[in-house]
Each structure stands twice: as C-alpha cells, then as structure tokens.
Amino acid sequence: MSDAPLPGVFQLTPLNPEFSDDPHALLDRLRDACPVHRDTQAGTFILTRHGDVRGVLSDTTMWRSPERAEEAALIQRALVEQRIEGMRMSEEEIRSGILLMDEPDHMRIREPFAKALYKRVARSKATVQQVVDEWLAPLMDRPRFDAMADFALRVPIDVIARILGVDESRLSEFRDWSEGAILGLNPFRSEQETARFVDCANKMSVYMGELMARRKAEPKDDLVSDMMRLQAEGAPLNNGEISNNLQGLLIGGNLTTTDLIGNAIWLLLKHPSELARLRADPALINSAVEEVLRYESPVDITGRIAPRDMDVGGCPIKQRQSLFMSLRGANRDPQAFPDPHRFDIARKDAPHVAFGGGLHLCIGAPLARLEAQVALTSFFARFPNVRLAEPDAKPQWRKMPFFRGLEALNVLA
Ligand code: HEM
C-alpha cells in the first residue's frame, strides 16, 4: 500500500489532475486506509464506506445548515459567507434554500415544493420528449457534433424552464444566468467567477420576483403559478422562500442532469457490449441510468453536521464537526457492490447514493431519471452508428469541484 499522505477534500476535486484522471485510485485507498478520515485543513471528516454514508444520510437527527458547524469547518463556513457577499436580494431570500436548511423550516418549505413538483413531473414525459426531439433534429444532418454542447447541456435547462413557466423570449438569458449561478456551488472559484455568480444570481432573483408577481395576478399552467396558488391557499411560505427554492430547482437540476446524460453517452460508447445489450433490450434503460448514476455519479459529495457527540464507523465525532459523505466513493464500495468497478447496465439490487438520502434526498431525482431515460433512448435510436470521434483521447473532465462531467464529447454520427 502507498505511504503517500491520505487525500483531503481539495485533493478529491478535479482541480487535482490525479483525481480527475482516476478518482477511484484515491477513493479506494482512502476507504481501505481510513474510511472515516479527518481532513484537518478543510476541517471535516470524509466518509467513503457505503454503510457509513447511508447511515449518516438516513439519520434524520443530523444537521445540514453550515452555520451550525464548528469554526474549523472551513468549507462549510465558506458556504455561509458566500451566500451573503454582493447579493442584492433580501436576507430572507438568501437564507431560505432547502439544501442548506434544518428542521422544522426545511420540511415546511420542502413539502409543498415536492408535492407540486412531483405532480408536474408525473405528467411531463411529453414535454421532455418534445425538448429532446427539438435538440436532436438539427443534429441529424451533421456527421460530427459535440454531444455535450449540442445536446446534454441543452435538454435539462429547457425542461425545467418549461416546467417553471419561464417566458420563451427570456430563455437564452435564463440559460446564461443559470450557468453563472452554478458557480456559487464552487468554494474554490476565482474572483472573476464570483463576480459572474453574483451578477447572475441577482438577475435571476429579479426575474423570478417579476414572474411570481405576474403569475399571482394571472395564473398559468406552470410550477410558479402552483406555488403562488399554494401560498394564497395558506401554505406557510413567504415570497423569498418561494423565489429562492424555485431558483434552487433550476440550479440543482441543471448541471447535474447534463452530466448524467453526458456521462451515460460516454460510458455506453466506451463499453460497446453494454450499448449492444441496451439496443437489443431497450427495457434495460431504467437500470442503465441507475448504473450510470452509481458508476459515474454526477455529484461527488454531500455534507452533514454532527448534532451531538457520536460514533460513526467506529470513529468518535464531536458535536458541530462536519462530515462529508463521498457519494462517489460509497458507490464503488466492494462491500456494497460486487465487482464495483465493472460497468453493468443490468446490475440488480444496486442501492447507490448518487441522490444523497434521508430528509435531503434529491427532490429532483424523478425528473433527472425521466430526462436521462428519454434523452438516451432517443439519442441512441436516432444515431444507430454513433461512435466517439477520438476514441483514444483522454476524456476532458470539467474542473468544477464536486461535480463530474465532460467539457466536450465529440462524436461521429
Ligand atoms: C442526475 C441529476 C441529479 C443529481 C445526481 C442530484 C444530486 C443531489 C444530491 C447529492 C443532493 C443532496 C442530497 C443530500 O444531501 O442527501 C441533492 C439535493 C437537491 N437536489 Fe438534486 N440532483 C440531481 C438532479 C436534480 C434536479 C433535476 C433538481 C430539480 C428539479 C434537483 C434539485 C435538488 C434540490 C432542490 C435539492 C435539495 C433537497 C433538500 O435539501 O431537501 N436535483 N441533489
């Protein structure tokens, strides 16, 4: 076994080329050597065993709000600070995103949102199919294209914009703002990126406020109208909470679903026998999407804060200490998945944690699954001979910490 120092949070991001090239060399080593590892610099524990990760995620007493973390938990604390500086929206709006909130407010806000979103997602298959078809149509005449820029990046933002009810005339601005707003999830971003993030977040918030006012006055068949109606009917939600979390749906679901679609196309093209199985039996699409989520998870980690002194995986944790769960590491734990580094689209009983778990389980999971299933089925049906344009080239993974997706994916139709 290597006697190099164990990696910390920073080394477990694509800013470290070693991690970018092969995250599992580092994650396997960490799991074998110290499955509950203290990164003293970042001030957090990093968990890599599936059992420990699932245990913490499903413990409903754990805290999520970074404000409750000890001072030493630098990355958690950075999430608090970056929510405030330069933002023009109200304090109430800034602080009301469910992703970083604790009970009872978290469920007070999450429940009505989840109910309204799930209802819309359950009847959005035709919308998703329409968006996918619209983006595939112009590719039919092109012998070569970038499946990221020309397809995977396009579908999720258009789907969520239609579900929310964003005006078509504002769609391109909306795309631009959401790409900028995602930079807010990168604690290692440059000053220039911070300026873009703040500018886009401010513009998105102004637009969302206007849209909410318009839908309140004149409801339409969309999620913004649903939320304004719920508020009018007495749901305990203020405008800042509605605005922040409508934007959260967009930011949380955009890059992640893009990466799920991109990673899936890349993996299937890299594993021709798995693609042949899928072509022979299209009903495998659901388990294929789950396997992509497990094998090349779009999100690296999620966090929690210890609400009391406790024991995790045999390691003592003190109240207010931070825990980072490596979803990527847990999803390749040999204790949970036989032959974990094999990509098998028909894998059974594979309880991956790509969507986190417990009270904060990703609210967009049903939509992400639907989008990926429709996008991949249509993509491979339209392009029966699609292949990688540069099959031997090293994949270029994006440098955004905590997310794994490709910069580009050039294919020959
Ligand atoms: C493949 C796509 C996606 C992945 C891998 C993903 C992953 C995650 C993860 C890991 C969490 C944190 C869960 C935890 O801490 O236990 C989360 C939370 C969340 N996601 Fe997703 N997500 C995806 C798509 C979406 C979509 C499409 C939406 C919106 C429509 C969305 C909205 C959210 C929101 C609002 C939360 C916060 C939930 C809460 O804290 O209660 N995500 N997601």
Side-chain angles (χ1 to χ4, degrees), residues 57 64 98-100 106 110 117 160 245 248-250 252-254 256-257 260 293 297-299 301-304 327 353-365 367-368 371:
L57 291 178
R64 182 66 161 118
I98 55 170
L99 179 66
L100 301 178
H106 167 259
R110 178 175 163 125
L117 178 67
I160 195 71
N245 287 287
L249 294 183
L250 174 86
N254 191 359
T256 49
T257 313
L260 172 59
L293 282 160
S297 314
V299 177
I301 57 160
T302 190
R304 296 288 188 272
L327 307 174
V353 287
F355 290 119
L359 296 175
H360 290 269
L361 176 73
C362 175
I363 206 174
L367 180 59
E371 288 183 48

Side-chain angles (χ1 to χ4, degrees), residues 165-232:
V166 172
D167 312 72
E168 253 179 67
S169 61
R170 306 294 296 270
L171 207 59
S172 66
E173 281 167 280
F174 193 68
R175 274 193 209 111
D176 187 48
W177 301 334
S178 67
E179 276 167 29
I182 286 166
L183 295 167
L185 300 177
N186 176 3
F188 306 115
R189 61 176 185 266
S190 66
E191 255 176 58
Q192 212 182 4
E193 287 171 328
T194 298
R196 168 139 196 254
F197 153 58
V198 170
D199 182 47
C200 289
N202 284 334
K203 285 179 174 150
M204 174 109 74
S205 166
V206 169
Y207 174 71
M208 197 55 83
E210 284 168 14
L211 188 60
M212 284 164 53
R214 277 193 280 132
R215 293 300 192 266
K216 187 174 175 174
E218 203 181 320
K220 288 198 174 176
D221 183 14
D222 58 37
L223 188 65
V224 175
S225 305
D226 294 346
M227 297 314 298
M228 299 319 288
R229 190 171 42 246
L230 284 171
Q231 187 192 45

Side-chain angles (χ1 to χ4, degrees), residues 98-158:
I98 55 170
L99 179 66
L100 301 178
M101 199 179 251
D102 283 326
E103 305 313 321
D105 288 331
H106 167 259
M107 271 302 165
R108 172 178 60 77
I109 300 174
R110 178 175 163 125
E111 257 173 14
F113 262 90
K115 217 167 124 194
L117 178 67
Y118 293 164
K119 232 160 110 181
R120 292 232 154 244
V121 171
R123 50 192 170 91
S124 65
K125 189 163 180 192
T127 305
V128 174
Q129 187 68 63
Q130 194 186 346
V131 169
V132 165
D133 290 345
E134 279 174 22
W135 284 109
L136 285 178
L139 303 179
M140 298 307 291
D141 307 327
R142 291 176 52 188
R144 178 187 167 119
F145 58 87
D146 176 356
M148 288 306 287
D150 299 329
F151 183 58
L153 262 162
R154 305 296 178 172
V155 172
I157 178 86
D158 276 12

